[in-house]
Amino acid sequence: GWAEVLKGQGGSNVTWMNADDWAKLYQVREGGPKRLADRGMVLLDGEVMDCPLTSLASCLEEAAQVQQYMEKSYPGATTYSLGHIGAGSFHPSINAPVSWGFPRLGEVVKDFRQRILAIKLKYGATIGEQGIFPEHAQWFVRLNGERHLAILRGIKDYLDPNHILNDIRLPNPGKS
């Protein structure tokens, strides 16, 4: 089975989880937003940071500095990071009180994303395997340029002529 394949490729700790184990893991993963809501908080953003392992430590450090800045600049906001063991992927996240209202929450998330974007660009972080390209299209163009977006769009159009997979166009607020 799969465990043998993984062990044959050097996996040293290969185990299978049963349905009860998965349910416990899911409860931990999905329990955070409920606990935030119970405290009157909302998760504003949990950016995807998939940086090369060679720059992971520096990327984490700079993201932590941004998080400290955000907590000082917006008293009441809280931050944390989630990560993936064995990969250079982590999620710097920020929460704020729902009572701040939409305009202020929007201001906070915009500030956070701009600061994190600078770190992503500096370290060549990607968005990994996430199916959220429209949220990151501007970042992709800043990192790779319009030509790469055109190439990516051409490949996607060829492989997905009915446009049922993730959209890769740049958002254009003036058009629907």
Side-chain angles (χ1 to χ4, degrees):
W2 284 104
E4 290 75 27
V5 171
L6 293 171
K7 287 178 182 176
Q9 294 299 316
S12 60
N13 185 11
V14 179
T15 58
W16 290 103
M17 295 177 69
N18 62 34
D20 290 336
D21 293 335
W22 274 110
K24 289 175 192 171
L25 181 64
Y26 187 76
Q27 183 178 18
V28 168
R29 178 184 170 129
E30 299 302 315
K34 181 182 181 332
R35 286 191 291 279
L36 286 172
D38 291 346
R39 294 178 25 220
M41 304 285 281
V42 62
L43 171 64
L44 294 180
D45 194 18
E47 284 294 320
V48 179
M49 299 281 278
D50 291 343
C51 61
L53 289 176
T54 54
S55 60
L56 177 60
S58 298
C59 192
L60 279 164
E61 185 176 316
E62 288 192 36
Q65 290 170 2
V66 166
Q67 290 172 302
Q68 290 170 2
Y69 167 85
M70 295 300 293
E71 288 184 3
K72 287 180 185 172
S73 299
Y74 302 95
T78 59
T79 63
Y80 59 90
S81 289
L82 302 171
H84 303 268
I85 296 172
S89 181
F90 68 102
H91 307 277
S93 304
I94 186 166
N95 314 304
V98 173
S99 62
W100 284 3
F102 185 77
R104 178 138 168 100
L105 294 174
E107 169 192 332
V108 173
V109 75
K110 182 178 179 183
D111 189 11
F112 183 70
R113 280 190 168 165
Q114 287 177 342
R115 292 173 188 282
I116 293 297
L117 173 62
I119 297 169
K120 291 172 88 164
L121 291 169
K122 179 178 179 178
Y123 291 103
T126 68
I127 56 172
E129 76 288 348
Q130 310 295 324
I132 53 177
F133 191 86
E135 291 180 34
H136 298 274
Q138 295 289 347
W139 159 84
F140 181 86
V141 169
R142 284 177 62 187
L143 184 65
N144 301 296
E146 291 279 351
R147 181 170 180 250
H148 283 88
L149 181 64
I151 292 168
L152 188 62
R153 185 180 298 123
I155 293 169
K156 189 216 179 264
D157 288 347
Y158 177 78
L159 296 173
D160 182 26
N162 296 320
H163 304 289
I164 60 173
L165 301 175
N166 293 327
D167 192 359
I168 61 167
R169 290 173 289 164
L170 287 173
N172 187 347
K175 297 183 180 181
S176 56

